[in-house]
Amino acid sequence: MTIKDIAERCGVSVSTVSRVLNDHPDVSKMVRDRVLKVIDEVHYVPNSSARDLVKTQSDDVGLVVRGAGNPFFTEVIPVIEQAIERAGYTLLTHQINTEDDELRAGAELVRSKKLKGLILLGGCFDYSEEQIKVLDVPFVCCTYGNSFGKLRDIQYSSVTIDDMNEARKAVELLIGQGHRKIAILLDSICDSSISELRYLGYCQALKAAGIELDDDLVQETGAFNMEDAYRSMKELLQRRDDFTALFVIADSMALAAMRAIHDVGKQVPKDISVIAIDGIPMSAYVVPALTTLVQPKKEMGEEPVRILVDMIEGKAGNRHVILPTTVREGESICAIR
Amino acid sequence: MTIKDIAERCGVSVSTVSRVLNDHPDVSKMVRDRVLKVIDEVHYVPNSSARDLVKTQSDDVGLVVRGAGNPFFTEVIPVIEQAIERAGYTLLTHQINTEDDELRAGAELVRSKKLKGLILLGGCFDYSEEQIKVLDVPFVCCTYGNSFGKLRDIQYSSVTIDDMNEARKAVELLIGQGHRKIAILLDSICDSSISELRYLGYCQALKAAGIELDDDLVQETGAFNMEDAYRSMKELLQRRDDFTALFVIADSMALAAMRAIHDVGKQVPKDISVIAIDGIPMSAYVVPALTTLVQPKKEMGEEPVRILVDMIEGKAGNRHVILPTTVREGESICAIR
DNA sequence: TTGAAAGCGCTAACAT
DNA sequence: ATGTTAGCGCTTTCAA
C-alpha cells in the first residue's frame, strides 16, 4: 500500500495525498476528510525511507548509545531527550552494541536521516583524525573524551567527568580515613577506556600518600558485569585478607563485591570499607548503602545539547566540559582503628 | 557525497560502485581496489534510506522494545539477538518510550525496512482487532498478551509467564510459611497491565486461603521506579505495623521496599518476609538476598524467535506459549512464629 | 485548490 | 567485466 494506491482510491493525485499527510493547509476540507478516511480504512503507513530520501534537511539530532545495559545511560537519555526538545530539535535515538562502531553507526544515521548533529553516549577513547572524518556534522562525545587518542582539542567536543581525578579523590577519601592497604576492583588496567583511567587515578592517590602500589591488590574482572565482579572479588578475598578498603570503578560492580565480602564472613564497612564511582539509584537502597561519587546526570545530559546546538547554529565552536561529581555519603566507609 | 560522485572520481559507472559496495563477484580486482580506495579517501557512507527504498525484501526481523530502562528487557534482548542470528535472520532493534505506540512504530519499521516479521518486547495488554491491522507481517508479543483486550487467540502470538498465577504462587509461598497479614506493593491495581494481573493473583491466593482482602494493605506506588516504591512503602509502614509479609510485583521495587523496612527499624525477614517476581541479577547480590520468582529469560528470548520464524517460513501458525518461573530462594522469607 | 512531473540515492535487470 | 536505465515511494516545485 503506497501513497499512489491511496490517491487512486480517493480519485485524487499523489500530491494531494502527500499534502494531507504533511498537514499542508491548502487542501479543501472535503478532500482532506476523504483521504484521511481511506488512509485509516486501509491502515496505510508512510514509508519513512522514501520520506527521508527526498527531504533535503531536517531539525533532527541523533543520539547514538553504545552499551544498552549501562544503567547510568538509562538515566541520562531522558535528560538529553528533553533538552533537545526544548531547543527546538527532535531526537533520534539509536542503540548499538559495545562491539559496534559508534562513528560508523552515527555517520550512517546522519546521512540517511539528514541529521544536523550527533551526540555519542559512550564510545572509544582513542579516535584518530582519520576516523572522525566520517562525521560531517557537529558532534559531542558524552561521558568520554579522547584520553588515549591524539585528537587535538579543536577537533571534537566532549562532556565528561575527570575520571582519573575522581578516582583519585575516591581513593583519597579512603586514605583520609586512615586506610593504607587499599584494593581496587576493575574491569581491566589497560582497556584504553574508563577502567584504565580510574586505575591511573588509584595509582596517583597511593603515590601521593606515599603508599607503594601492591599489584596483588589490583583485581581485574575481565568484564563489566556483576557476576564476574562477584567471582573476582571472591578470588581477591581468598588470596588476601589484609586489606581494609576497596575502591571499585563502578557502582554495580561494587554491589556485587559487597556481597562477596559478606559471603566470606566479613563486614562492610567494619572489616572492609568500600567506595565506588557512578551513583546509580540502586546503590542508595542497599544495606549498607554504598558511598559513591555521583555523576551529575542532569548536567551530563544538558551540557552536550547546549554545546551541540551552539555548534549547529554557529553560535560557538567546539568545547570540552568537565563536570564535577558529588560525594553521596553511604554506610560503606569507616575509619580504620 | 553520493555513489555518483564516487563513480565519477573513479571513472566508472554507478553500477560498478554499487557492485563493489555490495560485494558482488563480477568486478575486476583492479577496479574494485580503486573504488575502495576512493570510498575510503572521501569517507563515503551509503545512504541507507535509498538502499531500503529500493530493496524489495530482506531477511530482517524487527524488535520493538517499549520501556528502555526495564532491566529484565536488557537481559532478554541479547538472547533474542542470538536466536535470530542463528535462525539466519538479522535483527533490527528499535527502542521507544512507554508513552509511544509500539504497533505504530513497528508498522513504520516493517514498511521502511521491508521486515519479515516483528517481535514486540513490552506493550499494551488490550489491543483491538482494528489496531493490529497496521501490521501486515507475522508478529509475536513478548512478555505480554491480550489479557485486557478482545483479540481471539488466532489473531496474534505471544510468549509470557502466567502473571496472575505466578503472583498467586508467590503469595501462596508466603501463606505456606504461616503468614496471614500479607501486604502488596504495586504500581496500580487497574493499569490494564502487568500490575493489575499480579494484583488479581494476590487476591486469588488470599481468597483460596480464606483470608479476607484488606484494602488498606494494598499499596499503590503510582509509578514504576525505586524512588516511588520506597516512599510508598514508608507510607504503608507508617500506617500499619501489623503485617508480617509483603508481596512486591517487581524485584527493583522490592529492593527499595526492603530498604524502607530497614529504615523504620524492622528486619527482613524476621519482622517482614518479602517476595517478588522477576529475578533480576541485582536481587541475588543484596543482603538479605531477595526471594523471587525468576522469569526464564533464555526461553523468553528464544521462544518468540521460534514462533516468529515458524510463521515467516510457513511452518506453523500462530502460537501462545506460557513459560513457568522458578523460585530463587533468597534470604527474605521466614516462617511466622 | 489541485495535478503533473522531476528527482532524492540506490539496486538490479538488461545490454554490451 | 562494465555501463545504461528503470523505478523504489515520497515531497516539492511549477502549472493550471
Side-chain angles (χ1 to χ4, degrees), chain B residues 69-113:
Chain B
N70 191 321
F72 181 63
F73 289 175
T74 309
E75 295 185 82
V76 176
I77 294 172
V79 180
I80 296 178
E81 222 151 35
Q82 285 168 29
I84 282 286
E85 211 74 40
R86 241 181 294 124
Y89 295 83
T90 300
L91 191 68
L92 217 140
T93 304
H94 188 79
Q95 300 259 3
I96 60 171
N97 295 324
T98 17
E99 310 87 60
D100 297 337
D101 180 346
E102 67 277 6
L103 289 181
R104 188 83 207 166
E108 277 176 19
L109 261 195
V110 167
R111 192 125 157 68
S112 328
K113 304 284 187 181

mmCIF file of all heavy atoms in Angstrom, chain B residues 69-113:
data_model
loop_
_atom_site.group_PDB
_atom_site.id
_atom_site.type_symbol
_atom_site.label_atom_id
_atom_site.label_comp_id
_atom_site.label_asym_id
_atom_site.label_seq_id
_atom_site.Cartn_x
_atom_site.Cartn_y
_atom_site.Cartn_z
ATOM 1 N N GLY B 69 14.363 1.362 30.150
ATOM 2 C CA GLY B 69 15.005 1.143 31.435
ATOM 3 C C GLY B 69 14.765 -0.218 32.058
ATOM 4 O O GLY B 69 15.451 -0.608 32.995
ATOM 5 N N ASN B 70 13.809 -0.944 31.568
ATOM 6 C CA ASN B 70 13.458 -2.237 32.155
ATOM 7 C C ASN B 70 14.644 -3.204 32.185
ATOM 8 O O ASN B 70 15.107 -3.655 31.157
ATOM 9 C CB ASN B 70 12.314 -2.841 31.354
ATOM 10 C CG ASN B 70 11.716 -4.049 32.037
ATOM 11 O OD1 ASN B 70 12.435 -4.854 32.620
ATOM 12 N ND2 ASN B 70 10.411 -4.160 31.976
ATOM 13 N N PRO B 71 15.129 -3.527 33.394
ATOM 14 C CA PRO B 71 16.321 -4.366 33.492
ATOM 15 C C PRO B 71 16.099 -5.783 32.966
ATOM 16 O O PRO B 71 17.028 -6.425 32.498
ATOM 17 C CB PRO B 71 16.651 -4.372 34.981
ATOM 18 C CG PRO B 71 15.398 -3.961 35.670
ATOM 19 C CD PRO B 71 14.632 -3.118 34.714
ATOM 20 N N PHE B 72 14.873 -6.252 33.042
ATOM 21 C CA PHE B 72 14.608 -7.600 32.507
ATOM 22 C C PHE B 72 14.740 -7.600 30.983
ATOM 23 O O PHE B 72 15.292 -8.533 30.394
ATOM 24 C CB PHE B 72 13.219 -8.088 32.928
ATOM 25 C CG PHE B 72 12.899 -9.465 32.424
ATOM 26 C CD1 PHE B 72 13.652 -10.560 32.825
ATOM 27 C CD2 PHE B 72 11.866 -9.670 31.515
ATOM 28 C CE1 PHE B 72 13.379 -11.834 32.340
ATOM 29 C CE2 PHE B 72 11.587 -10.934 31.032
ATOM 30 C CZ PHE B 72 12.342 -12.025 31.446
ATOM 31 N N PHE B 73 14.261 -6.549 30.350
ATOM 32 C CA PHE B 73 14.380 -6.435 28.891
ATOM 33 C C PHE B 73 15.850 -6.456 28.478
ATOM 34 O O PHE B 73 16.232 -7.106 27.508
ATOM 35 C CB PHE B 73 13.731 -5.145 28.394
ATOM 36 C CG PHE B 73 12.227 -5.157 28.467
ATOM 37 C CD1 PHE B 73 11.489 -4.022 28.145
ATOM 38 C CD2 PHE B 73 11.537 -6.302 28.851
ATOM 39 C CE1 PHE B 73 10.105 -4.033 28.199
ATOM 40 C CE2 PHE B 73 10.150 -6.311 28.920
ATOM 41 C CZ PHE B 73 9.427 -5.169 28.602
ATOM 42 N N THR B 74 16.643 -5.711 29.235
ATOM 43 C CA THR B 74 18.075 -5.637 28.939
ATOM 44 C C THR B 74 18.699 -7.024 28.854
ATOM 45 O O THR B 74 19.612 -7.251 28.084
ATOM 46 C CB THR B 74 18.785 -4.840 30.049
ATOM 47 O OG1 THR B 74 18.098 -3.603 30.230
ATOM 48 C CG2 THR B 74 20.233 -4.578 29.687
ATOM 49 N N GLU B 75 18.183 -7.936 29.662
ATOM 50 C CA GLU B 75 18.739 -9.286 29.659
ATOM 51 C C GLU B 75 18.198 -10.140 28.529
ATOM 52 O O GLU B 75 18.887 -11.026 28.023
ATOM 53 C CB GLU B 75 18.420 -9.973 30.977
ATOM 54 C CG GLU B 75 19.080 -9.314 32.171
ATOM 55 C CD GLU B 75 18.794 -10.151 33.378
ATOM 56 O OE1 GLU B 75 19.516 -11.134 33.567
ATOM 57 O OE2 GLU B 75 17.821 -9.858 34.098
ATOM 58 N N VAL B 76 16.958 -9.891 28.171
ATOM 59 C CA VAL B 76 16.334 -10.718 27.137
ATOM 60 C C VAL B 76 16.825 -10.349 25.737
ATOM 61 O O VAL B 76 16.970 -11.215 24.875
ATOM 62 C CB VAL B 76 14.793 -10.594 27.205
ATOM 63 C CG1 VAL B 76 14.137 -11.360 26.073
ATOM 64 C CG2 VAL B 76 14.289 -11.093 28.541
ATOM 65 N N ILE B 77 17.086 -9.081 25.535
ATOM 66 C CA ILE B 77 17.465 -8.607 24.188
ATOM 67 C C ILE B 77 18.636 -9.384 23.565
ATOM 68 O O ILE B 77 18.528 -9.836 22.427
ATOM 69 C CB ILE B 77 17.749 -7.090 24.203
ATOM 70 C CG1 ILE B 77 16.451 -6.324 24.505
ATOM 71 C CG2 ILE B 77 18.312 -6.625 22.863
ATOM 72 C CD1 ILE B 77 16.633 -4.833 24.737
ATOM 73 N N PRO B 78 19.741 -9.572 24.305
ATOM 74 C CA PRO B 78 20.844 -10.326 23.698
ATOM 75 C C PRO B 78 20.448 -11.755 23.321
ATOM 76 O O PRO B 78 20.935 -12.290 22.333
ATOM 77 C CB PRO B 78 21.914 -10.350 24.797
ATOM 78 C CG PRO B 78 21.555 -9.268 25.736
ATOM 79 C CD PRO B 78 20.088 -9.070 25.647
ATOM 80 N N VAL B 79 19.575 -12.345 24.118
ATOM 81 C CA VAL B 79 19.117 -13.701 23.819
ATOM 82 C C VAL B 79 18.358 -13.714 22.495
ATOM 83 O O VAL B 79 18.578 -14.576 21.632
ATOM 84 C CB VAL B 79 18.205 -14.243 24.943
ATOM 85 C CG1 VAL B 79 17.746 -15.657 24.623
ATOM 86 C CG2 VAL B 79 18.917 -14.205 26.284
ATOM 87 N N ILE B 80 17.475 -12.763 22.338
ATOM 88 C CA ILE B 80 16.705 -12.657 21.096
ATOM 89 C C ILE B 80 17.654 -12.457 19.914
ATOM 90 O O ILE B 80 17.529 -13.107 18.875
ATOM 91 C CB ILE B 80 15.702 -11.486 21.170
ATOM 92 C CG1 ILE B 80 14.659 -11.746 22.255
ATOM 93 C CG2 ILE B 80 15.020 -11.262 19.819
ATOM 94 C CD1 ILE B 80 13.643 -10.627 22.442
ATOM 95 N N GLU B 81 18.604 -11.564 20.116
ATOM 96 C CA GLU B 81 19.570 -11.249 19.070
ATOM 97 C C GLU B 81 20.269 -12.523 18.564
ATOM 98 O O GLU B 81 20.343 -12.781 17.363
ATOM 99 C CB GLU B 81 20.629 -10.300 19.655
ATOM 100 C CG GLU B 81 21.016 -9.175 18.741
ATOM 101 C CD GLU B 81 21.454 -7.962 19.545
ATOM 102 O OE1 GLU B 81 22.063 -8.127 20.616
ATOM 103 O OE2 GLU B 81 21.161 -6.834 19.115
ATOM 104 N N GLN B 82 20.762 -13.287 19.506
ATOM 105 C CA GLN B 82 21.478 -14.513 19.124
ATOM 106 C C GLN B 82 20.574 -15.526 18.447
ATOM 107 O O GLN B 82 20.967 -16.170 17.471
ATOM 108 C CB GLN B 82 22.118 -15.151 20.359
ATOM 109 C CG GLN B 82 23.353 -14.404 20.838
ATOM 110 C CD GLN B 82 23.795 -14.876 22.208
ATOM 111 O OE1 GLN B 82 23.585 -16.029 22.575
ATOM 112 N NE2 GLN B 82 24.405 -13.985 22.972
ATOM 113 N N ALA B 83 19.379 -15.669 18.971
ATOM 114 C CA ALA B 83 18.454 -16.651 18.412
ATOM 115 C C ALA B 83 18.090 -16.283 16.972
ATOM 116 O O ALA B 83 18.016 -17.144 16.096
ATOM 117 C CB ALA B 83 17.198 -16.747 19.274
ATOM 118 N N ILE B 84 17.862 -15.006 16.739
ATOM 119 C CA ILE B 84 17.523 -14.539 15.385
ATOM 120 C C ILE B 84 18.688 -14.798 14.436
ATOM 121 O O ILE B 84 18.506 -15.277 13.316
ATOM 122 C CB ILE B 84 17.201 -13.028 15.418
ATOM 123 C CG1 ILE B 84 15.801 -12.796 15.961
ATOM 124 C CG2 ILE B 84 17.344 -12.401 14.043
ATOM 125 C CD1 ILE B 84 14.689 -13.145 14.997
ATOM 126 N N GLU B 85 19.863 -14.505 14.907
ATOM 127 C CA GLU B 85 21.071 -14.701 14.112
ATOM 128 C C GLU B 85 21.202 -16.176 13.725
ATOM 129 O O GLU B 85 21.425 -16.510 12.570
ATOM 130 C CB GLU B 85 22.279 -14.263 14.960
ATOM 131 C CG GLU B 85 23.437 -13.700 14.170
ATOM 132 C CD GLU B 85 23.130 -12.291 13.659
ATOM 133 O OE1 GLU B 85 22.514 -11.495 14.415
ATOM 134 O OE2 GLU B 85 23.496 -12.007 12.520
ATOM 135 N N ARG B 86 21.035 -17.023 14.707
ATOM 136 C CA ARG B 86 21.142 -18.461 14.489
ATOM 137 C C ARG B 86 20.120 -18.954 13.467
ATOM 138 O O ARG B 86 20.358 -19.900 12.731
ATOM 139 C CB ARG B 86 20.951 -19.202 15.819
ATOM 140 C CG ARG B 86 22.166 -20.037 16.224
ATOM 141 C CD ARG B 86 21.927 -20.760 17.529
ATOM 142 N NE ARG B 86 21.802 -19.852 18.655
ATOM 143 C CZ ARG B 86 20.770 -19.810 19.480
ATOM 144 N NH1 ARG B 86 19.752 -20.637 19.326
ATOM 145 N NH2 ARG B 86 20.748 -18.943 20.479
ATOM 146 N N ALA B 87 18.971 -18.285 13.450
ATOM 147 C CA ALA B 87 17.911 -18.700 12.527
ATOM 148 C C ALA B 87 18.150 -18.159 11.123
ATOM 149 O O ALA B 87 17.374 -18.407 10.206
ATOM 150 C CB ALA B 87 16.560 -18.241 13.056
ATOM 151 N N GLY B 88 19.240 -17.417 10.960
ATOM 152 C CA GLY B 88 19.574 -16.931 9.628
ATOM 153 C C GLY B 88 18.965 -15.584 9.267
ATOM 154 O O GLY B 88 18.961 -15.189 8.116
ATOM 155 N N TYR B 89 18.470 -14.894 10.274
ATOM 156 C CA TYR B 89 17.899 -13.572 10.020
ATOM 157 C C TYR B 89 18.756 -12.500 10.692
ATOM 158 O O TYR B 89 19.678 -12.812 11.448
ATOM 159 C CB TYR B 89 16.459 -13.502 10.543
ATOM 160 C CG TYR B 89 15.517 -14.423 9.816
ATOM 161 C CD1 TYR B 89 15.408 -15.765 10.164
ATOM 162 C CD2 TYR B 89 14.731 -13.961 8.756
ATOM 163 C CE1 TYR B 89 14.553 -16.630 9.482
ATOM 164 C CE2 TYR B 89 13.874 -14.802 8.071
ATOM 165 C CZ TYR B 89 13.790 -16.132 8.443
ATOM 166 O OH TYR B 89 12.934 -16.980 7.773
ATOM 167 N N THR B 90 18.446 -11.278 10.396
ATOM 168 C CA THR B 90 19.156 -10.176 11.032
ATOM 169 C C THR B 90 18.169 -9.381 11.882
ATOM 170 O O THR B 90 17.041 -9.123 11.457
ATOM 171 C CB THR B 90 19.770 -9.250 9.963
ATOM 172 O OG1 THR B 90 20.673 -10.004 9.162
ATOM 173 C CG2 THR B 90 20.522 -8.104 10.615
ATOM 174 N N LEU B 91 18.605 -9.017 13.067
ATOM 175 C CA LEU B 91 17.698 -8.301 13.957
ATOM 176 C C LEU B 91 17.915 -6.795 13.882
ATOM 177 O O LEU B 91 19.032 -6.304 13.846
ATOM 178 C CB LEU B 91 17.902 -8.755 15.409
ATOM 179 C CG LEU B 91 16.827 -8.267 16.377
ATOM 180 C CD1 LEU B 91 15.502 -8.929 16.070
ATOM 181 C CD2 LEU B 91 17.225 -8.523 17.816
ATOM 182 N N LEU B 92 16.819 -6.091 13.862
ATOM 183 C CA LEU B 92 16.848 -4.646 13.800
ATOM 184 C C LEU B 92 16.114 -4.110 15.021
ATOM 185 O O LEU B 92 14.884 -4.155 15.082
ATOM 186 C CB LEU B 92 16.128 -4.214 12.533
ATOM 187 C CG LEU B 92 16.710 -3.020 11.823
ATOM 188 C CD1 LEU B 92 16.650 -3.266 10.338
ATOM 189 C CD2 LEU B 92 15.947 -1.806 12.222
ATOM 190 N N THR B 93 16.854 -3.650 16.002
ATOM 191 C CA THR B 93 16.240 -3.248 17.262
ATOM 192 C C THR B 93 15.856 -1.774 17.268
ATOM 193 O O THR B 93 16.592 -0.926 16.784
ATOM 194 C CB THR B 93 17.210 -3.518 18.422
ATOM 195 O OG1 THR B 93 17.582 -4.887 18.396
ATOM 196 C CG2 THR B 93 16.554 -3.199 19.754
ATOM 197 N N HIS B 94 14.699 -1.515 17.819
ATOM 198 C CA HIS B 94 14.208 -0.142 17.869
ATOM 199 C C HIS B 94 13.594 0.118 19.237
ATOM 200 O O HIS B 94 12.659 -0.566 19.637
ATOM 201 C CB HIS B 94 13.163 0.051 16.768
ATOM 202 C CG HIS B 94 12.729 1.456 16.584
ATOM 203 N ND1 HIS B 94 13.480 2.381 15.889
ATOM 204 C CD2 HIS B 94 11.627 2.113 17.008
ATOM 205 C CE1 HIS B 94 12.855 3.542 15.892
ATOM 206 N NE2 HIS B 94 11.740 3.407 16.561
ATOM 207 N N GLN B 95 14.150 1.083 19.949
ATOM 208 C CA GLN B 95 13.653 1.410 21.289
ATOM 209 C C GLN B 95 12.615 2.521 21.225
ATOM 210 O O GLN B 95 12.808 3.494 20.507
ATOM 211 C CB GLN B 95 14.815 1.906 22.165
ATOM 212 C CG GLN B 95 15.929 0.906 22.349
ATOM 213 C CD GLN B 95 15.856 0.191 23.683
ATOM 214 O OE1 GLN B 95 14.915 0.407 24.456
ATOM 215 N NE2 GLN B 95 16.816 -0.661 23.953
ATOM 216 N N ILE B 96 11.561 2.396 21.989
ATOM 217 C CA ILE B 96 10.610 3.501 22.092
ATOM 218 C C ILE B 96 10.253 3.738 23.553
ATOM 219 O O ILE B 96 10.510 2.901 24.416
ATOM 220 C CB ILE B 96 9.311 3.244 21.299
ATOM 221 C CG1 ILE B 96 8.606 1.985 21.814
ATOM 222 C CG2 ILE B 96 9.608 3.109 19.817
ATOM 223 C CD1 ILE B 96 7.234 1.800 21.235
ATOM 224 N N ASN B 97 9.672 4.877 23.829
ATOM 225 C CA ASN B 97 9.250 5.196 25.188
ATOM 226 C C ASN B 97 7.939 4.504 25.528
ATOM 227 O O ASN B 97 7.198 4.096 24.642
ATOM 228 C CB ASN B 97 9.068 6.698 25.352
ATOM 229 C CG ASN B 97 10.368 7.429 25.211
ATOM 230 O OD1 ASN B 97 11.420 6.934 25.625
ATOM 231 N ND2 ASN B 97 10.329 8.604 24.608
ATOM 232 N N THR B 98 7.659 4.412 26.822
ATOM 233 C CA THR B 98 6.418 3.755 27.245
ATOM 234 C C THR B 98 5.184 4.517 26.780
ATOM 235 O O THR B 98 4.107 3.952 26.685
ATOM 236 C CB THR B 98 6.354 3.609 28.777
ATOM 237 O OG1 THR B 98 7.304 4.481 29.365
ATOM 238 C CG2 THR B 98 6.647 2.182 29.192
ATOM 239 N N GLU B 99 5.348 5.809 26.504
ATOM 240 C CA GLU B 99 4.192 6.582 26.044
ATOM 241 C C GLU B 99 3.911 6.323 24.570
ATOM 242 O O GLU B 99 2.819 6.588 24.081
ATOM 243 C CB GLU B 99 4.422 8.087 26.217
ATOM 244 C CG GLU B 99 4.899 8.519 27.589
ATOM 245 C CD GLU B 99 6.409 8.436 27.667
ATOM 246 O OE1 GLU B 99 7.069 9.122 26.875
ATOM 247 O OE2 GLU B 99 6.921 7.656 28.497
ATOM 248 N N ASP B 100 4.899 5.841 23.857
ATOM 249 C CA ASP B 100 4.741 5.678 22.418
ATOM 250 C C ASP B 100 3.968 4.415 22.036
ATOM 251 O O ASP B 100 3.837 3.487 22.828
ATOM 252 C CB ASP B 100 6.112 5.666 21.742
ATOM 253 C CG ASP B 100 6.842 6.984 21.937
ATOM 254 O OD1 ASP B 100 6.158 7.995 22.185
ATOM 255 O OD2 ASP B 100 8.077 6.991 21.850
ATOM 256 N N ASP B 101 3.473 4.415 20.834
ATOM 257 C CA ASP B 101 2.653 3.327 20.312
ATOM 258 C C ASP B 101 3.530 2.297 19.603
ATOM 259 O O ASP B 101 4.048 2.543 18.525
ATOM 260 C CB ASP B 101 1.635 3.929 19.338
ATOM 261 C CG ASP B 101 0.722 2.876 18.737
ATOM 262 O OD1 ASP B 101 1.032 1.670 18.860
ATOM 263 O OD2 ASP B 101 -0.301 3.245 18.161
ATOM 264 N N GLU B 102 3.668 1.134 20.228
ATOM 265 C CA GLU B 102 4.579 0.131 19.673
ATOM 266 C C GLU B 102 4.084 -0.454 18.355
ATOM 267 O O GLU B 102 4.881 -0.860 17.508
ATOM 268 C CB GLU B 102 4.831 -0.990 20.692
ATOM 269 C CG GLU B 102 3.644 -1.879 21.021
ATOM 270 C CD GLU B 102 2.733 -1.269 22.065
ATOM 271 O OE1 GLU B 102 2.970 -0.104 22.447
ATOM 272 O OE2 GLU B 102 1.783 -1.945 22.492
ATOM 273 N N LEU B 103 2.771 -0.482 18.170
ATOM 274 C CA LEU B 103 2.247 -1.027 16.917
ATOM 275 C C LEU B 103 2.572 -0.090 15.760
ATOM 276 O O LEU B 103 3.005 -0.507 14.694
ATOM 277 C CB LEU B 103 0.734 -1.227 17.018
ATOM 278 C CG LEU B 103 0.272 -2.365 17.928
ATOM 279 C CD1 LEU B 103 -1.239 -2.464 17.923
ATOM 280 C CD2 LEU B 103 0.890 -3.678 17.498
ATOM 281 N N ARG B 104 2.362 1.174 16.003
ATOM 282 C CA ARG B 104 2.676 2.198 15.010
ATOM 283 C C ARG B 104 4.168 2.159 14.658
ATOM 284 O O ARG B 104 4.546 2.112 13.495
ATOM 285 C CB ARG B 104 2.313 3.560 15.608
ATOM 286 C CG ARG B 104 2.403 4.714 14.664
ATOM 287 C CD ARG B 104 1.139 4.816 13.849
ATOM 288 N NE ARG B 104 1.421 5.446 12.581
ATOM 289 C CZ ARG B 104 0.580 5.427 11.557
ATOM 290 N NH1 ARG B 104 -0.576 4.787 11.657
ATOM 291 N NH2 ARG B 104 0.884 6.020 10.437
ATOM 292 N N ALA B 105 4.986 2.192 15.694
ATOM 293 C CA ALA B 105 6.436 2.174 15.481
ATOM 294 C C ALA B 105 6.844 0.924 14.712
ATOM 295 O O ALA B 105 7.648 0.991 13.781
ATOM 296 C CB ALA B 105 7.155 2.229 16.826
ATOM 297 N N GLY B 106 6.253 -0.202 15.087
ATOM 298 C CA GLY B 106 6.559 -1.447 14.410
ATOM 299 C C GLY B 106 6.141 -1.412 12.951
ATOM 300 O O GLY B 106 6.893 -1.806 12.064
ATOM 301 N N ALA B 107 4.955 -0.896 12.704
ATOM 302 C CA ALA B 107 4.430 -0.833 11.338
ATOM 303 C C ALA B 107 5.326 0.027 10.447
ATOM 304 O O ALA B 107 5.600 -0.324 9.301
ATOM 305 C CB ALA B 107 3.013 -0.271 11.352
ATOM 306 N N GLU B 108 5.797 1.126 10.994
ATOM 307 C CA GLU B 108 6.683 2.000 10.215
ATOM 308 C C GLU B 108 7.991 1.299 9.870
ATOM 309 O O GLU B 108 8.483 1.385 8.756
ATOM 310 C CB GLU B 108 6.957 3.298 10.979
ATOM 311 C CG GLU B 108 5.851 4.314 10.779
ATOM 312 C CD GLU B 108 6.059 5.574 11.599
ATOM 313 O OE1 GLU B 108 7.195 5.826 12.040
ATOM 314 O OE2 GLU B 108 5.072 6.307 11.802
ATOM 315 N N LEU B 109 8.515 0.617 10.854
ATOM 316 C CA LEU B 109 9.753 -0.138 10.626
ATOM 317 C C LEU B 109 9.556 -1.175 9.531
ATOM 318 O O LEU B 109 10.356 -1.294 8.608
ATOM 319 C CB LEU B 109 10.157 -0.881 11.901
ATOM 320 C CG LEU B 109 11.206 -0.289 12.810
ATOM 321 C CD1 LEU B 109 11.681 -1.350 13.774
ATOM 322 C CD2 LEU B 109 12.367 0.257 12.011
ATOM 323 N N VAL B 110 8.490 -1.935 9.676
ATOM 324 C CA VAL B 110 8.194 -3.005 8.721
ATOM 325 C C VAL B 110 8.142 -2.438 7.312
ATOM 326 O O VAL B 110 8.723 -2.982 6.379
ATOM 327 C CB VAL B 110 6.841 -3.669 9.056
ATOM 328 C CG1 VAL B 110 6.373 -4.550 7.901
ATOM 329 C CG2 VAL B 110 6.961 -4.490 10.330
ATOM 330 N N ARG B 111 7.461 -1.333 7.202
ATOM 331 C CA ARG B 111 7.253 -0.744 5.895
ATOM 332 C C ARG B 111 8.549 -0.165 5.308
ATOM 333 O O ARG B 111 8.859 -0.354 4.137
ATOM 334 C CB ARG B 111 6.212 0.353 6.043
ATOM 335 C CG ARG B 111 5.707 0.850 4.779
ATOM 336 C CD ARG B 111 4.220 0.804 4.637
ATOM 337 N NE ARG B 111 3.901 1.799 3.639
ATOM 338 C CZ ARG B 111 4.252 1.664 2.361
ATOM 339 N NH1 ARG B 111 4.857 0.571 1.959
ATOM 340 N NH2 ARG B 111 3.981 2.614 1.498
ATOM 341 N N SER B 112 9.320 0.537 6.123
ATOM 342 C CA SER B 112 10.518 1.206 5.599
ATOM 343 C C SER B 112 11.658 0.226 5.373
ATOM 344 O O SER B 112 12.457 0.407 4.466
ATOM 345 C CB SER B 112 11.007 2.288 6.557
ATOM 346 O OG SER B 112 9.941 2.859 7.242
ATOM 347 N N LYS B 113 11.724 -0.768 6.228
ATOM 348 C CA LYS B 113 12.862 -1.687 6.157
ATOM 349 C C LYS B 113 12.497 -3.024 5.542
ATOM 350 O O LYS B 113 13.308 -3.950 5.570
ATOM 351 C CB LYS B 113 13.423 -1.908 7.564
ATOM 352 C CG LYS B 113 13.819 -0.639 8.293
ATOM 353 C CD LYS B 113 15.131 -0.091 7.780
ATOM 354 C CE LYS B 113 15.601 1.073 8.635
ATOM 355 N NZ LYS B 113 16.863 1.637 8.133
#
